[in-house]
Amino acid sequence: HGDLSIDELRNIKLRNRRVCAVRGLPSFATEKLLVMSEWYGQFKGMHKIHIDKNKPKAIHETDSVLAFITFDNEKSAQDAINFSNNATFGDGRKLKAAFGIQYYCRNFL
């Protein structure tokens, strides 16, 4: 990225292949629940979980939350994404997951 200006670098989205970003988790989801082996605890190398209950949601997502699950390896993140995208709740709701997105740190540009 050596030919890009600082302003251009600020707007570049980087895919973090160690982060599973999952949308549609039930609003009662907690870190304690998500680390259980029935959920994301089944994948090796879990490093951190951040649950964002404050993100603006579409009308059909009012009872759900977004979580970012960071692993120490890409394979576990990919497995967690596949698990999430194949999960269905009793009410028919499905999760949506992808690799996390981040930007260059503005303090270091």
Side-chain angles (χ1 to χ4, degrees), residues 23-104:
R23 181 180 300 279
L25 288 165
S27 57
F28 60 81
T30 62
E31 287 184 36
K32 189 174 183 177
L33 175 76
L34 297 181
V35 299
M36 295 174 66
S37 62
E38 295 85 1
W39 286 85
Y40 299 96
Q42 64 184 292
F43 307 109
K44 297 190 186 296
M46 186 185 304
H47 178 67
K48 180 172 78 171
I49 295 177
H50 172 75
I51 299 174
D52 191 344
K53 297 185 179 202
N54 298 317
K55 284 278 187 202
K57 299 172 183 71
I59 294 171
H60 64 280
E61 293 181 331
T62 55
D63 63 342
S64 67
V65 296
L66 171 66
F68 299 94
I69 304 152
T70 304
F71 295 91
D72 65 7
N73 66 87
E74 187 177 318
K75 181 183 181 326
S76 290
Q78 181 66 64
D79 291 344
I81 290 168
N82 293 340
F83 166 79
S84 299
N85 287 330
N86 289 309
T88 304
F89 290 95
D91 63 1
R93 177 181 20 187
K94 294 185 176 208
L95 300 176
K96 293 181 184 176
F99 288 116
I101 300 293
Q102 64 189 56
Y103 294 89
Y104 282 110

Side-chain angles (χ1 to χ4, degrees), residues 10 104-109:
R10 284 183 181 142
Y104 282 110
C105 180
R106 294 170 191 247
N107 294 329
F108 294 101
L109 292 178

